[in-house]
Amino acid sequence: MSNSEKLRVSRRAVLGGAAALLGSGLAPPLAARADGPAPGLGGSTRRPVDRKSVDAVASRLDRDLVELRRDIHRHPETAGTERRTAAVVARRLRAAGLDVRTGVGGHGVVAVLTGARPGRTVAYRADMDAVPPGDQFGGGTLPAHLCGHDVHTTVGVGVAEVLALLRNRLTGSVVFVFQPAEEALAGAAAMLDDGVFAQARPAEIHALHCGPFPVGQFVVTPGCGLPGQDRGVVTLTGPDATARAQRLAAEINALGTVTPPATPADLERLVADILTPDGPLAEFVFMGAAAPDAEGPAEVEIRYRCWPEHRYPEIREQVRRLARPYGGAVSFPNDPFPAMLCPEQEGLALRRYLRQNVGHARVRTLHAPVPFNGEDFALFLDRLPGTYTFLGVRAPGAGVETSAPHFGTFDPDERAIGYGVRAMAGWLAGRTRA
């Protein structure tokens, strides 16, 4: 999940292992074979993949997947530098018998798993990059996996390995997309431009993201998602332009209705608000306007997010109105980066599936976005229907700050990996039959 300021133009709204790890010495306990599942795990080719078979395979992989996550965690790579992570992922997927392409849109990895029987093609996306110091709450100095992408990557590998071991019972195909540069809001666009689905065109795409919810809990997002971002600049000239720019920046910032959480209590309130129907975050503006603090070019740089997405023209006009008395020239050079808006139909279907398979009490619904982060998974959902679901990573008794992405205290409960693998393996297998 990115809080980057980089932008991408245009939008089309859509509603609706197995080998030794590179440099690690680790090896998974089971080896998938190109001709089918390991003995005793695949079962009859007449029975579809079900919860029992997924759990039987996943339970044999749990410990190794935790080690995989720890290995990726020890080697964080920021946007555009994910060479090692991509190599580790590619080697495991090849060993599992998937058809693998690398170097897609940078360091992206695309792998296709083909089942024994014809059916639909669906996709699963996992992001791989770490958080750079500038995007860490709390003043980090080194890149770190503080957004859970190491968990996301591990879950994606685990789902692929589970389904590979069950391929004699699998219908259709699953395309696994391991994406670079999500934190820069650049990786999805690069992979799409590079023909990420040239080999196999999926009917839909799905993803998980770590969230500040109890471990083992899932928060689905039908009709909701995450905000986009807009960027502009106001240029002032003449005497005392810098002082006027500072006053204007203060007036523009007053358009904001939310501020980032500063304390654990603030985080707890944020979690409660996003789970509240028609609550305080049903509409918001998260505004950031900055002016120079010394003489020189007097420019007010503006970056903001709002919800719902249709409010961008309104906010732009308010900025122009405020800038007019100052004689400022206002420019918004690009369309806003699109909001990630998740289709209702697929989101509700996933909610039904999860309630039936993991329990009603462990499935909740997002009713408002987190105002401070965006997601370039939006660009995939502009082209395909799908789902984006939050995976709870808060350990029992732990403070909420240990499960809030981008905070220096982020320390997810690793049991979330197994929950994510089981849920998504079963869900994807079912969607290939839908």
Side-chain angles (χ1 to χ4, degrees):
M1 186 189 306
S2 170
N3 64 0
S4 168
E5 314 302 349
K6 298 186 180 179
L7 296 176
R8 175 81 176 170
V9 300
S10 79
R11 159 149 223 231
R12 177 174 63 85
V14 175
L15 288 174
L21 297 181
L22 184 63
S24 71
L26 302 175
L30 294 174
R33 305 182 318 194
D35 61 345
L41 291 174
S44 169
T45 60
R46 289 174 292 183
R47 290 189 295 122
V49 175
D50 57 14
R51 179 181 175 182
K52 184 177 179 180
S53 61
V54 166
D55 189 63
V57 176
S59 64
R60 302 279 295 276
L61 298 174
D62 282 338
R63 182 176 298 178
D64 174 72
L65 290 174
V66 168
E67 292 302 317
L68 173 61
R69 182 260 168 173
R70 293 176 181 176
D71 177 70
I72 296 172
H73 187 82
R74 288 191 296 267
H75 300 89
E77 297 173 307
T78 56
T81 69
E82 307 92 342
R83 295 175 183 84
R84 183 187 185 277
T85 305
V88 168
V89 169
R91 291 187 68 174
R92 288 191 71 127
L93 298 179
R94 287 193 177 104
L98 278 70
D99 187 359
V100 178
R101 284 192 297 149
T102 59
V104 182
H107 296 296
V109 179
V110 181
V112 180
L113 173 63
T114 303
R117 293 175 289 183
R120 300 173 77 236
T121 299
V122 301
Y124 184 81
R125 176 271 208 170
D127 39 11
M128 300 187 294
D129 54 325
V131 181
D135 285 346
Q136 299 173 21
F137 298 127
T141 59
L142 296 172
H145 273 295
L146 297 179
C147 196
H149 294 192
D150 50 346
V151 174
H152 307 167
T153 298
T154 301
V155 170
V157 169
V159 173
E161 291 179 344
V162 166
L163 293 180
L165 287 163
L166 294 168
R167 77 180 56 194
N168 279 355
R169 296 170 58 174
L170 181 66
T171 297
S173 300
V174 183
V175 182
F176 291 92
V177 178
F178 290 86
Q179 182 201 308
E182 188 281 324
E183 292 295 337
L185 295 180
M191 294 193 81
L192 287 163
D193 289 345
D194 205 12
V196 60
F197 299 130
Q199 184 177 0
R201 173 75 178 181
E204 58 194 43
I205 188 166
H206 306 275
L208 285 182
H209 197 292
C210 293
F213 310 102
V215 65
Q217 190 174 101
F218 296 85
V219 177
V220 297
T221 61
C224 197
L226 289 170
Q229 184 186 67
D230 197 11
R231 181 180 65 182
V233 62
V234 183
T235 304
L236 288 80
T237 59
D240 72 355
T242 298
R244 289 185 289 121
Q246 292 170 352
R247 292 196 298 272
L248 175 58
E251 291 189 29
I252 294 174
N253 279 326
L255 297 174
T257 63
V258 293
T259 57
T263 66
D266 292 341
L267 281 169
E268 294 282 15
R269 189 177 307 111
L270 173 64
V271 172
D273 287 348
I274 62 179
L275 296 174
T276 301
D278 301 316
L281 293 178
E283 287 193 3
F284 60 77
V285 178
F286 174 44
M287 179 61 72
D293 56 8
E295 292 300 326
E299 293 184 342
V300 180
E301 295 186 356
I302 304 165
R303 294 176 174 86
Y304 71 96
R305 304 181 189 275
C306 67
W307 192 266
E309 186 181 30
H310 63 72
R311 298 187 65 198
Y312 281 116
E314 166 198 340
I315 306 303
R316 286 186 173 193
E317 183 54 37
Q318 290 180 8
V319 169
R320 293 187 181 99
R321 176 179 54 81
L322 292 173
R324 201 169 293 127
Y326 290 88
V330 182
S331 173
F332 290 95
N334 296 311
D335 292 341
F337 191 93
M340 185 188 72
L341 191 57
C342 301
E344 286 194 16
Q345 179 177 332
E346 286 74 18
L348 294 175
L350 176 57
R351 185 170 69 181
R352 289 191 296 271
Y353 171 82
L354 291 174
R355 284 177 172 176
Q356 293 169 0
N357 288 274
V358 306
H360 196 283
R362 286 172 50 195
V363 183
R364 304 190 71 179
T365 302
L366 191 79
H367 292 287
V370 177
F372 317 108
N373 300 96
E375 241 288 4
D376 71 353
F377 190 66
L379 301 182
F380 287 115
L381 290 180
D382 273 354
R383 291 158 176 80
L384 298 169
T387 64
Y388 183 93
T389 304
F390 288 98
L391 172 67
V393 296
R394 183 176 179 176
V400 67
E401 67 277 8
T402 66
S403 55
H406 284 251
F407 280 76
T409 49
F410 183 71
D411 184 21
D413 189 324
E414 292 176 318
R415 289 176 297 173
I417 296 168
Y419 289 119
V421 167
R422 287 161 172 79
M424 289 294 103
W427 167 247
L428 295 174
R431 297 303 289 179
T432 63
R433 301 192 302 270

